[in-house]
């Protein structure tokens, strides 16, 4: 009878130990799920904030850009009126400079057909003379349509009668300076007027402020958010030799920064663009733990968010030790209680 009771008590101890262990594992698993959910929630809020900033910034940039385009249309038409009836050879650089000042544009170039090309023949800037557009893709298409007195049908830029202005772009001969280039041709001359201005306002609103400011605030105010970048998928995947001509399509990292580079980032960005699904990876860097999310956006763009896992890992470790200590204490109390019961069972006064 004593041995039977002792075996029963041992079984009870084992059952209680199993229950404590299972409870610990379930609790730890639920904690892990809650931490991941918290991280995802922080990431989702950050993504939505950046999306909103991008939309607001784009709307502001579009408004400024349209005003500049209308200004360029007025200036281009005015310059053409002033030059109408003139032979290109009779127009001097000095005269173009005076017209540029009068119509408040940065520079003026005059383009002319030359065989199967359209080339700059006169300009306020000597470095522009002789510039060819034959290999400029849709820009050349727009030039050819203008000088053929056809409607400009390219999808990029802004067009109206006798006029086309390209998207914000870097000058062919000037690094790190961005312009709006406008082109006017109405068939009354044998040259096309090209007036252009520096486009710092649009560039700053679109690429230097707005989303970039929002990203800085998110990184500063949220410990879990290490860094955020809005990546232009095709430009990023093109590699280091990629040339930036049009910022909106050619800058690899449009907003924020991406310094925590991980092997395979390019593949995950490519997968996010092609599959339209969030990609993720966990990694270590300088002794810290991170989780990186790749959220696809419209226009082949991807928001990359690096989450710092150290705080959550510390919390998990504290929870684990607390749970282990609590479980161990519980087991000790159970063992103590069972031993007390076992002693009573083994005492001479107990039943035989």
């Amino acid at each position: 009878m004593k041995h039977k009771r002792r075996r029963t008590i041992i079984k009870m101890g084992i059952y209680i130990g199993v229950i404590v262990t299972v409870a610990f594992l379930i609790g730890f698993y639920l904690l892990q799920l809650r931490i991941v959910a918290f991280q995802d929630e922080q990431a989702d809020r950050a993504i939505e904030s950046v999306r909103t900033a991008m939309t607001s910034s784009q709307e502001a940039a579009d408004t400024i850009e349209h005003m500049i385009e209308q200004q360029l249309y007025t200036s281009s038409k005015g310059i053409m009126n002033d030059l109408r009836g003139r032979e290109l050879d009779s127009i001097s650089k000095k005269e173009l400079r005076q017209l540029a000042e009068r119509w408040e544009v940065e520079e003026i170039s005059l383009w002319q057909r030359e065989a199967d090309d359209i080339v700059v023949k006169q300009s306020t800037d000597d470095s522009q003379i002789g510039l060819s557009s034959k290999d400029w893709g849709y820009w050349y298409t727009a030039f050819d349509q203008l000088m053929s007195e056809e409607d400009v049908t390219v999808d990029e830029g802004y067009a109206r009668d006798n006029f086309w202005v390209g998207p914000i772009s870097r000058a062919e001969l000037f690094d790190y300076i961005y312009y709006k280039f406008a082109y006017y041709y109405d068939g009354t001359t044998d040259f096309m007027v090209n007036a252009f201005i520096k486009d710092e306002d649009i560039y700053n609103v679109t690429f230097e402020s707005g989303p970039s400011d929002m990203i800085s605030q998110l990184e500063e105010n949220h410990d879990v958010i290490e860094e955020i970048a809005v990546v232009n998928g095709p430009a990023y995947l093109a590699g280091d030799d990629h040339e930036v001509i049009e910022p909106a399509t050619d800058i690899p990292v449009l907003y924020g920064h991406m310094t925590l580079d991980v092997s395979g980032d390019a593949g995950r960005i490519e997968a996010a663009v092609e599959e339209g699904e969030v990609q993720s990876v966990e990694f270590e860097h300088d002794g810290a733990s991170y989780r990186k999310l790749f959220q696809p956006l419209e226009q082949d763009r991807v928001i990359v968010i690096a989450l710092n896992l150290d705080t959550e890992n510390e919390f998990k470790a504290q929870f684990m030790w607390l749970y282990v200590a609590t479980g161990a204490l519980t087991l000790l109390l159970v063992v103590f209680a069972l031993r007390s019961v076992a002693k009573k069972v083994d005492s001479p006064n107990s039943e035989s």
Side-chain angles (χ1 to χ4, degrees), residues 173-186:
L173 303 175
F174 306 121
D175 290 336
Y176 313 115
I177 302 177
Y178 293 90
Y179 292 88
K180 282 292 276 187
F181 294 92
Y183 304 87
Y184 190 94
Y185 181 82
D186 60 9

Side-chain angles (χ1 to χ4, degrees), residues 265-281:
D265 272 357
R268 283 179 279 272
I269 289 173
E270 185 175 14
V273 170
E274 292 182 354
E275 299 173 14
E277 296 180 356
V278 178
Q279 310 293 314
S280 67
V281 63

Side-chain angles (χ1 to χ4, degrees), residues 92-158:
S92 66
K93 173 183 175 182
K94 180 179 179 180
E95 186 175 358
L96 287 182
R97 172 55 59 196
Q98 292 172 343
L99 287 173
E101 293 174 359
R102 176 182 175 183
W103 291 103
E104 298 181 339
V105 296
E106 188 81 15
E107 307 284 355
I108 300 174
S109 292
L110 303 180
W111 297 70
Q112 209 172 42
R113 282 193 183 277
E114 187 177 273
D116 59 348
D117 199 355
I118 299 176
V119 181
V120 175
K121 291 295 188 177
Q122 182 59 285
S123 177
T124 51
D125 181 358
D126 290 338
S127 66
Q128 298 287 308
I129 297 176
L131 195 63
S132 166
S133 63
K134 184 177 180 179
D135 298 325
W136 286 11
Y138 71 82
W139 287 73
Y140 177 80
T141 301
F143 296 174
D144 184 58
Q145 290 175 334
L146 266 181
M147 297 198 73
S148 299
E149 298 184 65
E150 301 173 356
D151 293 336
V152 176
T153 59
V154 299
D155 293 331
E156 305 294 336
Y158 167 75

Side-chain angles (χ1 to χ4, degrees), residues 24-304:
F24 166 74
L25 293 175
I26 293 175
F28 190 77
Y29 175 72
L30 293 175
L31 176 67
Q32 176 72 13
L33 290 181
R34 185 68 192 94
I35 289 175
V36 171
F38 171 76
Q39 294 169 352
D40 289 343
E41 182 180 341
Q42 294 292 304
D44 289 342
R45 288 181 178 177
I47 289 170
E48 190 56 36
S49 296
V50 174
R51 277 181 185 269
T52 300
M54 288 172 64
T55 300
S56 299
S57 177
Q58 190 59 56
E59 289 174 351
D62 288 344
T63 299
I64 296 173
E65 189 166 10
H66 186 63
M67 292 172 60
I68 291 174
E69 288 166 349
Q70 298 309 311
Q71 174 190 337
L72 282 168
Y73 175 75
T74 299
S75 298
S76 299
K77 190 173 182 179
I79 293 167
M80 178 61 82
N81 286 336
D82 288 342
L83 294 177
R84 186 171 284 115
R86 301 278 302 278
E87 294 293 329
L88 190 145
D89 292 341
S90 70
I91 302 171
S92 66
K93 173 183 175 182
K94 180 179 179 180
E95 186 175 358
L96 287 182
R97 172 55 59 196
Q98 292 172 343
L99 287 173
E101 293 174 359
R102 176 182 175 183
W103 291 103
E104 298 181 339
V105 296
E106 188 81 15
E107 307 284 355
I108 300 174
S109 292
L110 303 180
W111 297 70
Q112 209 172 42
R113 282 193 183 277
E114 187 177 273
D116 59 348
D117 199 355
I118 299 176
V119 181
V120 175
K121 291 295 188 177
Q122 182 59 285
S123 177
T124 51
D125 181 358
D126 290 338
S127 66
Q128 298 287 308
I129 297 176
L131 195 63
S132 166
S133 63
K134 184 177 180 179
D135 298 325
W136 286 11
Y138 71 82
W139 287 73
Y140 177 80
T141 301
F143 296 174
D144 184 58
Q145 290 175 334
L146 266 181
M147 297 198 73
S148 299
E149 298 184 65
E150 301 173 356
D151 293 336
V152 176
T153 59
V154 299
D155 293 331
E156 305 294 336
Y158 167 75
R160 55 186 297 181
D161 290 345
N162 307 319
F163 177 78
W164 181 75
V165 55
I168 179 175
S169 58
R170 180 176 65 79
E172 176 79 6
L173 303 175
F174 306 121
D175 290 336
Y176 313 115
I177 302 177
Y178 293 90
Y179 292 88
K180 282 292 276 187
F181 294 92
Y183 304 87
Y184 190 94
Y185 181 82
D186 60 9
T188 60
T189 63
D190 63 349
F191 55 83
M192 176 174 65
V193 168
N194 166 210
F196 52 100
I197 59 176
K198 287 183 181 178
D199 208 2
E200 293 177 356
D201 288 341
I202 297 176
Y203 183 82
N204 289 336
V205 167
T206 306
F207 300 103
E208 296 296 335
S209 61
S212 295
D213 289 343
M214 175 58 69
I215 286 172
S216 296
Q217 292 176 27
L218 289 169
E219 292 172 345
E220 183 177 347
N221 297 328
H222 295 77
D223 292 337
V224 71
I225 297 176
E226 186 71 19
E227 67 177 19
I228 301 175
V230 178
V231 175
N232 189 339
Y236 185 89
L237 296 172
D240 296 335
D241 295 333
H242 181 64
E243 187 177 14
V244 177
I245 301 297
E246 297 175 18
T249 57
D250 297 338
I251 294 179
V253 179
L254 294 167
Y255 313 109
H257 48 277
M258 192 169 163
T259 59
L260 293 172
D261 292 329
V262 183
S263 175
D265 272 357
R268 283 179 279 272
I269 289 173
E270 185 175 14
V273 170
E274 292 182 354
E275 299 173 14
E277 296 180 356
V278 178
Q279 310 293 314
S280 67
V281 63
E282 291 192 10
F283 62 97
E284 301 284 330
H285 181 76
D286 289 341
S289 299
Y290 298 96
R291 180 177 175 225
K292 194 180 269 192
L293 302 175
F294 301 78
Q295 170 70 54
L297 301 177
E298 301 80 11
Q299 298 178 321
D300 293 337
R301 297 177 180 181
V302 179
I303 289 185
V304 182

